[in-house]
Amino acid sequence: MRSGPVVAMVWEGFECGEDRPGHAWETSPADSKPGTIRGDFCIQVGRNIIHGSDSMGSAEKEIGLWFQPEELVDYKSCAQNWIYE
């Protein structure tokens, strides 16, 4: 994170934090699937382009490193009720 600019984001949504095939959760770029940020844009573990928390507890801790609670926006799309049950 000290080698260049960092863009910190918090993502939420249906199964957003789940470890599922197709997500960026493989640590090694070589093990990552094509179509994921890590699979498409990373070469070495030490020069990773993306970080994802490994649990909800880690996510809460890591979000606190970057953001104050009042900086987080709770957004609900107008299409939410049409897409999810």
Side-chain angles (χ1 to χ4, degrees):
M1 288 188 284
R2 295 180 294 182
S3 65
V6 172
V7 177
M9 291 183 255
V10 178
W11 289 45
E12 66 178 353
F14 183 68
E15 295 184 345
C16 186
E18 299 292 321
D19 187 9
R20 298 174 45 212
H23 286 187
W25 309 132
E26 298 294 338
T27 302
S28 170
D31 296 335
S32 297
K33 306 273 189 225
T36 63
I37 294 171
R38 188 169 290 143
D40 289 352
F41 299 106
C42 297
I43 297 171
Q44 293 181 321
V45 173
R47 294 285 184 238
N48 242 329
I49 194 168
I50 187 170
H51 170 74
S53 303
D54 61 359
S55 69
M56 290 304 293
S58 293
E60 290 173 4
K61 177 183 170 192
E62 293 168 358
I63 290 167
L65 296 173
W66 293 95
F67 299 98
Q68 296 297 317
E70 60 272 10
E71 295 176 305
L72 300 173
V73 177
D74 188 18
Y75 170 78
K76 183 177 178 182
S77 170
C78 62
Q80 177 84 21
N81 294 334
W82 294 100
I83 297 171
Y84 301 107
E85 291 184 28

